[in-house]
């Protein structure tokens, strides 16, 4: 695939970023695209490796060598068709995916891997620019009505696939706009929301109905859905936030990341009524949690004009290179430095927060930490140990808790009579996404727990295949790695 000697001739080249001082003045995306010739060279780096392990690294089974080769040959429309055959929303994954495909790239064994994610993004943007992405409603309709609960990437993928099969699909979303965490959670500087709206227009023209501002389980009950629809697909998120149960956690200024970030999305969108505003302006901010959500809090706080931004991670600092116990092609837990980290955050590892300190009015003014180490014993889980004499007090007026999620809310499961696991995820087999209640399916974070956007899209697609088979007896909708074959 690509140019036979391309990986020997061309080095990996990524998109450049706008300068920090320029980009933190607003919430616009700040990457600078490569030129067509440069992208062609990046596609040329894809090796004729025999067994493309990038396929196994990608939860969608994207046909990566095929679209890389098409880009190398300058056949962008062909590349777009190949990409969309397995991925409904490459404009999302091309911006937000951590690219497990690149970690599995054969070239990545001893060189920089092919820049798959950036090629993917440029393919879909070229396709939109040239008008190649058009609504494709089904040629005929079935008599089946399907409800999809949740309009994040899993719900949108399931809805589009089921609509392609000819079913009448209604998507219910409790927020005021469609998109789930893509809309209310991912900062605009990582993905501007017109990117969602552009795709949403396509989905609506294809015949999908979206009903926003409806909290299923409260505004509409499970029994109503079972009566009105032939199948229901639960695609909500893992929205139960992990808490930090230490003294002072109820102080004003100790804030969950998923209160802080969605409010800022709405602020950028021009919403005036935000309730009690959460702003980092002129504050010493500490973000507790070293993952993507923590990084998003950092970039947002810097754009607010925080006095300082500090990031705590309880885990040890990872190595920049692949750890020996996580060999290729597996996903490695290596040190990852985001664009937000580079904008001015101070990062500390192996540190645990012990107590929040408040003033006389109940406002956060500081916190206390201790350094920790992880002790390992063969055959046992690692245990956390505090290091004596390392306690330290930090000035802090805003602490953002980016500690992940512990599972899903229980309302829907209780109303539908569904079983949940110990992590409060709804139980459903990954073989067919069926719950133990006939006609009720579940996909995405509500089934597997907090995960990646690419996994959500994959699960939405797979669930749609099994819903279609449940309704029709069989399905032409694709499974992982197969091209789309909508029912005529």
């Amino acid at each position: 695939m690509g140019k036979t000697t391309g990986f020997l001739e061309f080095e990996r080249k990524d998109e450049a970023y706008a300068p920090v001082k320029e980009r933190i003045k607003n919430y616009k995306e700040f990457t600078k695209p490569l030129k067509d010739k440069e992208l062609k060279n990046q596609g040329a780096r894809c090796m004729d490796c025999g067994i493309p392990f990038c396929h196994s690294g990608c939860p969608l089974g994207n046909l990566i060598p095929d679209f890389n080769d098409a880009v190398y040959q300058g056949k962008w429309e062909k590349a777009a068709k190949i990409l969309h055959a397995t991925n409904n929303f490459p404009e999302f994954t091309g911006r937000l995916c951590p690219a497990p495909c690149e970690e599995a790239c054969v070239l990545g064994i001893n060189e920089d891997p092919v820049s798959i994610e950036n090629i993917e993004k440029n393919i879909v943007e070229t396709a939109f620019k040239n008008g190649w992405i058009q609504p494709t409603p089904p040629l005929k309709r079935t008599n089946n009505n399907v409800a999809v609960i949740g309009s994040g990437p899993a719900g949108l993928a399931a809805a589009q696939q089921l609509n392609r099969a000819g079913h009448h699909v209604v998507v219910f979303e409790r927020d005021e706009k469609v998109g789930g965490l893509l809309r209310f959670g991912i900062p605009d500087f990582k993905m501007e929301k017109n990117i969602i709206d552009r795709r949403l227009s396509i989905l609506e023209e294809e015949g999908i109905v979206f009903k926003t501002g409806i909290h299923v389980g409260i505004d509409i009950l499970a029994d109503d859905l079972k009566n009105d629809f032939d199948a229901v697909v639960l695609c909500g998120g893992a929205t139960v936030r992990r808490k930090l149960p230490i003294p002072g956690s109820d102080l004003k200024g100790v804030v969950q990341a998923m209160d802080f970030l969605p409010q800022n999305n709405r602020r950028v969108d021009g919403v005036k009524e935000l309730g009690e505003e959460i702003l980092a302006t002129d504050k010493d901010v500490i973000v507790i949690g070293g993952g993507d959500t923590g990084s998003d809090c950092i970039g947002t706080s810097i754009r607010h004009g925080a006095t300082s931004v500090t990031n705590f991670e309880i885990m040890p600092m990872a190595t920049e290179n692949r750890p020996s116990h996580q060999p290729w092609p597996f996903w490695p837990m290596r040190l990852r430095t985001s664009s937000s980290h580079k904008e001015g955050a101070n990062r500390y590892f192996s540190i645990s927060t012990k107590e929040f300190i408040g003033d006389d009015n109940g406002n956060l003014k500081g916190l206390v930490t201790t350094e920790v180490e992880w002790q390992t014993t063969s055959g046992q889980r690692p245990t956390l140990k505090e290091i004596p004499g390392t306690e330290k007090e930090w000035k802090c007026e805003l602490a953002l808790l980016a500690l992940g999620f512990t599972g899903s809310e229980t309302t829907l499961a209780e109303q539908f009579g569904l079983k949940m696991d110990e992590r409060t995820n709804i139980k459903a087999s990954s073989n067919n996404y069926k719950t133990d209640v006939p006609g009720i399916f579940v996909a995405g974070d509500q089934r597997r727990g907090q995960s990646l956007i690419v996994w959500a899209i994959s699960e939405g697609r797979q669930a749609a295949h099994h819903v279609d088979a449940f309704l029709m007896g069989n399905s032409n909708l694709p499974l992982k790695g197969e091209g789309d074959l909508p029912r005529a």
Side-chain angles (χ1 to χ4, degrees):
M1 307 304 296
K3 186 177 182 181
T4 305
T5 57
F7 69 97
L8 297 172
E9 298 177 33
F10 308 113
E11 294 182 352
R12 178 183 171 113
K13 188 171 185 179
D14 293 307
E15 290 182 331
Y17 293 156
V20 171
K21 289 184 178 180
E22 175 184 323
R23 70 190 193 228
I24 64 173
K25 293 178 180 178
N26 57 60
Y27 294 91
K28 300 290 186 181
E29 294 181 26
F30 50 80
T31 56
K32 296 184 176 182
L34 299 177
K35 297 177 181 179
D36 283 352
K37 174 63 175 176
E38 293 172 320
L39 287 166
K40 179 178 178 179
N41 290 344
Q42 293 307 299
R45 297 185 72 238
C46 188
M47 305 169 64
D48 188 7
C49 55
I51 300 177
F53 280 84
C54 54
H55 284 192
S56 62
C58 176
L60 283 162
N62 282 341
L63 305 175
I64 295 164
D66 301 79
F67 67 63
N68 282 339
D69 183 58
V71 167
Y72 164 62
Q73 296 184 42
K75 299 178 179 179
W76 288 91
E77 187 171 8
K78 178 182 178 182
K81 290 179 179 178
I82 295 169
L83 179 56
H84 278 91
T86 54
N87 186 352
N88 298 67
F89 313 118
E91 65 272 33
F92 302 158
T93 54
R95 286 171 166 82
L96 304 172
C97 185
C101 54
E102 294 186 15
E103 294 289 2
C105 174
V106 172
L107 183 56
I109 295 175
N110 63 340
E111 296 285 350
D112 289 332
V114 176
S115 52
I116 300 167
E117 183 183 20
N118 189 41
I119 291 172
E120 178 179 320
K121 172 186 169 184
N122 279 276
I123 290 171
V124 67
E125 290 305 317
T126 301
F128 270 113
K129 180 180 178 180
N130 286 280
W132 299 332
I133 300 175
Q134 295 293 327
T136 54
L139 299 179
K140 65 180 182 180
R141 290 282 180 184
T142 70
N143 293 320
N144 296 309
N145 297 306
V146 182
V148 176
I149 315 304
S151 68
L156 293 178
Q160 186 171 44
Q161 294 299 97
L162 288 164
N163 184 70
R164 286 171 171 171
H167 306 304
H168 300 272
V169 180
V170 179
V171 178
F172 293 89
E173 170 55 55
R174 67 179 176 182
D175 286 323
E176 69 272 23
K177 288 189 176 183
V178 169
L181 287 181
L182 295 171
R183 174 87 60 181
F184 299 117
I186 301 294
D188 294 69
F189 57 80
K190 287 177 69 174
M191 187 178 75
E192 295 177 40
K193 305 317 171 192
N194 65 297
I195 300 299
I196 303 172
D197 296 333
R198 179 178 65 181
R199 180 65 72 168
L200 180 59
S201 296
I202 299 285
L203 300 180
E204 289 177 326
E205 289 187 54
E206 290 178 342
I208 300 172
V209 176
F210 293 92
K211 294 188 176 183
T212 57
I214 298 178
H215 192 163
V216 176
I218 297 177
D219 300 319
I220 182 172
L221 302 181
D223 285 343
D224 297 323
L225 290 178
K226 287 192 284 188
N227 290 333
D228 295 342
F229 293 90
D230 300 291
V232 177
V233 192
L234 305 179
C235 296
T239 55
V240 180
R241 304 141 184 193
R242 184 174 282 108
K243 299 178 181 179
L244 189 57
I246 60 174
S249 59
D250 58 345
L251 289 169
K252 183 179 179 181
V254 180
V255 177
Q256 284 281 351
M258 292 312 299
D259 290 329
F260 177 70
L261 293 173
Q263 185 186 92
N264 200 68
N265 291 129
R266 291 182 169 93
R267 183 181 295 112
V268 173
D269 195 33
V271 176
K272 301 300 182 183
E273 300 297 327
L274 295 172
E276 185 174 353
E277 286 204 308
I278 310 166
L279 292 168
T281 312
D282 298 328
K283 294 177 181 176
D284 292 294
V285 179
I286 294 180
V287 179
I288 303 175
D292 288 339
T293 303
S295 171
D296 294 343
C297 288
I298 291 169
T300 302
S301 296
I302 289 171
R303 283 161 179 76
H304 281 188
T307 300
S308 68
V309 182
T310 302
N311 187 204
F312 291 165
E313 168 59 67
I314 200 168
M315 298 300 293
M317 184 175 179
T319 59
E320 292 189 7
N321 296 321
R322 181 184 288 273
S324 59
H325 65 285
Q326 295 168 344
W328 176 90
F330 296 106
W331 175 260
M333 299 302 292
R334 67 171 90 206
L335 180 66
R336 301 179 193 278
T337 302
S338 72
S339 60
S340 292
H341 291 137
K342 296 175 182 178
E343 290 171 355
N346 301 303
R347 303 172 76 183
Y348 294 86
F349 298 85
S350 299
I351 190 167
S352 176
T353 306
K354 296 286 293 177
E355 178 185 0
F356 295 112
I357 304 170
D359 62 19
D360 293 338
N361 296 316
N363 297 309
L364 178 69
K365 70 174 186 179
L367 55 78
V368 176
T369 64
T370 183
E371 294 177 22
V372 295
E373 60 182 358
W374 291 88
Q375 295 184 336
T376 57
T377 303
S378 180
Q380 299 181 17
R381 294 174 63 88
T383 56
L384 186 65
K385 181 183 178 182
E386 296 181 4
I387 301 176
T390 61
E391 284 196 356
K392 180 178 179 179
E393 185 172 326
W394 305 71
K395 184 181 178 184
C396 175
E397 293 88 27
L398 178 63
L400 298 172
L401 308 184
L403 304 172
F405 303 87
T406 59
S408 304
E409 297 174 8
T410 60
T411 303
L412 277 181
E414 292 169 353
Q415 288 192 12
F416 279 111
L418 304 174
K419 295 179 181 178
M420 305 187 82
D421 63 21
E422 64 279 358
R423 298 171 58 206
T424 69
N425 298 319
I426 297 175
K427 285 188 175 182
S429 169
S430 59
N431 293 325
N432 56 26
Y433 297 85
K434 291 181 179 179
T435 67
D436 50 351
V437 176
I440 311 299
F441 297 76
V442 60
D445 287 5
Q446 206 161 16
R447 188 196 74 82
R448 64 182 290 117
Q450 178 186 1
S451 190
L452 305 176
I453 289 170
V454 68
W455 268 114
I457 297 173
S458 176
E459 293 224 343
R461 286 174 62 89
Q462 307 312 303
H465 172 95
H466 295 290
V467 173
D468 186 36
F470 167 78
L471 295 171
M472 306 299 293
N474 61 76
S475 179
N476 289 328
L477 292 176
L479 290 169
K480 178 179 175 180
E482 299 176 349
D484 270 322
L485 297 171
R487 181 176 287 110

